[in-house]
Every structure is written in C-alpha cells, then in structure tokens.
Amino acid sequence: MQTASQSERRDTGVLLDIRGHSEAALAFSLAKIAATMASDVAGSPVECTVTLLRPQATPCTAATDDGAGELSRWEHRTGRGPTARALNGGLSIMLNEHCKDARWPGYAASLRSAGFRSAVAMPLGLKRGYRAALTFYAAAGNVFSPAVAARLLAFSDVAANSLTLALQIRADLVLSAELRTALASRTEIDTACGVIMAQDQCSYDEALGSLTQAARARSLGIRGVAQSIILSLAGDVPASGSVVAAQAAAETDADAATHADAATHLEQPAVMQEA
C-alpha cells in the first residue's frame, strides 16, 4: 500500500542528534533513534534498519536487530522488497498481514522467517551521491496503520536532513584532518630541505632531490626521512654512522655518490612510516 508522495511531505526544521565516528556508525545512530520513535508511535516494539549507499564505497546496513539487518541486505542484493524500492527512490510501501504486495512473491515468507509480520520502508532524500532507505519492522501484525505510517513518513524528512548534515560534518572533519596532516608533512619536508640547503649550499630542488634519493634508498617515505633529519639536527638521534651510506656502498659508484651526499644529513635516523 502506498502512503503519501514525496511532494506531500513537510520539513519540520528539527534535527536529530546523530553521532558516530564513521558513516556506518552515523547510520546506526539514526537507526536506534528511529526505532525508539517508531515504537512510541506504534505502541508496539519496532526494529529499524538504515541502508546507506555511498559513492565509491561499499553499501552499509545499520540495524537494531540482526534479522532485520539481514533481510534489508537481502532486499538490496536481490532488488525485491520495500527496502530495495525505497533505495531507488520509490514511494513508501507499507506491508501488514492483511495487506500483502503481489510484486514480490515470497517476500512475506522472508519477512516471517526474519521474525516479523509488518514492515514499512521509505526513501531518505540525501545529497552528494548518497542514497538511503529507512525501514521499520514489527513482530506483530498490522502495526503500521495509515496513521502510524504517516507519522513515520514525516519523521523520515527529519531523518534525511539530519543524516545529510551528519555526513557533511564528518566529511568536513576528515578533510580537515587530511589537510592538517598534509600541512605537517609539507612543513617537515621544507624544514629538512632547508637544513640540506644550508649545509650543501644548494637550491631547494637539489635538496629535495637528495631527500628523495635517500628515501628511495631506505624504502621510506620522504616525510619519514625529513623527520629523521630534523631529529638528528635536534640531537635526538645518536650520530654513530649512516644507514643510508652503508646501503649506498653496496650499490654502483655513481649511485653510491648520490646516496652518500644525502646520507651526510641522516646520522642513524629513527625508522618512520610514510604518512
């Protein structure tokens, strides 16, 4: 049974407190909030799943019940059922014991096998290439009356707005962290190049070339070698010999000369991982 069209929904301006360290965690946070709300509205225990399709990432399903989660994942894989329809932007579908949908033969049996007799699914209008479906399940029959479904549909607008904002905030935080890491890496590399330029009286490009050669010789990232130079300059690394120079001695004379030039700045550097 179809309830209301997307155009009939109204934005309440309310936002949910969705929190999580990952996109999957945000979806699970929403599922828990939605299940609590739906249980209160229906006057009966309701489980919830949030199926999230992400750009350039595997889909994820967050569920308050294992059976509901597996059923939603099966729907997404097979394309059969209300969740699959909602993921494609279809109108919300309500299934109760007395209202079975003939488009998905056998779905009622799958629903019962998962421990439920009622279900209702609705799309969440997200942005930036994301798609999602909010699906409610109840073990009792005929839980999702038109009045209950209408309230759940209104809630889905709030859920969509809240999840969109939560995903955007998380993306901004990830980008900010990546930029801070990149800036720190750039600063360390520039500092190490400055040390080489001062000692060898060479240009920045020549210093960066020496740094790159040393990184290749030791199978490290440039940032790791730069950190080693900075530590050595600060006196935190004992100057008891050059690992790079020892490696260079085993190579050809031409390569050895190149690596040894860079190695003069790397006295026993600590092992670092590439950022």
Side-chain angles (χ1 to χ4, degrees):
M1 172 181 176
Q2 296 181 353
T3 56
S5 67
Q6 296 287 339
S7 61
E8 292 173 334
R9 299 203 222 165
R10 295 180 181 177
D11 185 357
T12 64
V14 177
L15 290 175
L16 305 173
D17 186 17
I18 300 176
R19 302 185 183 185
H21 64 279
S22 66
E23 292 177 339
L26 292 175
F28 182 62
S29 178
L30 173 57
K32 290 193 297 182
I33 293 172
T36 299
M37 181 281 307
S39 297
D40 291 341
V41 170
S44 178
V46 174
E47 303 295 343
C48 177
T49 64
V50 175
T51 304
L52 182 63
L53 304 187
R54 305 173 288 178
Q56 300 180 339
T58 57
C60 72
T61 296
T64 58
D65 175 86
D66 290 341
E70 183 53 41
L71 182 57
S72 288
R73 285 187 287 270
W74 174 82
E75 286 188 63
H76 173 54
R77 291 193 303 267
T78 62
R80 299 198 298 271
T83 299
R85 177 179 172 82
L87 284 171
N88 291 321
L91 298 180
S92 301
I93 300 296
M94 183 171 60
L95 294 106
N96 289 307
E97 270 196 318
H98 72 276
C99 180
K100 297 180 173 60
D101 200 300
R103 285 172 294 183
W104 308 302
Y107 178 76
S110 298
L111 188 66
R112 287 193 299 271
S113 296
F116 305 106
R117 295 162 67 190
S118 305
V120 60
M122 52 202 66
L124 296 181
L126 305 183
K127 299 177 181 178
R128 298 173 56 245
Y130 287 86
R131 287 186 291 152
L134 181 64
T135 309
F136 298 97
Y137 299 92
N142 306 321
V143 167
F144 303 115
S145 66
V148 170
R151 293 186 62 180
L152 297 183
L153 192 62
F155 171 83
S156 71
D157 277 320
V158 179
N161 292 336
S162 302
L163 184 56
T164 294
L165 181 59
L167 290 170
Q168 182 61 60
I169 291 174
R170 181 186 177 277
D172 290 344
L173 290 174
V174 170
L175 178 59
S176 177
E178 290 175 349
L179 290 175
R180 288 196 301 270
T181 299
L183 180 60
S185 177
R186 184 74 258 178
T187 300
E188 290 166 339
I189 291 173
D190 285 346
T191 300
C193 285
V195 173
I196 298 174
M197 290 167 65
Q199 292 184 357
D200 291 358
Q201 296 298 302
C202 62
S203 67
Y204 178 89
D205 288 343
E206 291 171 331
L208 184 60
S210 295
L211 200 63
T212 302
Q213 289 289 347
R216 289 175 179 170
R218 301 180 59 216
S219 298
L220 291 176
I222 295 178
R223 185 188 181 190
V225 178
Q227 289 172 328
S228 297
I229 291 178
I230 295 171
L231 288 174
S232 178
L233 183 67
D236 294 334
V237 180
S240 59
S242 172
V243 174
V244 174
Q247 291 175 333
E251 301 175 358
T252 63
D253 291 340
D255 288 338
T258 300
H259 296 317
D261 180 62
T264 58
H265 311 287
L266 302 171
E267 302 299 327
Q268 280 296 75
V271 176
M272 308 296 291
Q273 294 294 326
E274 183 175 5

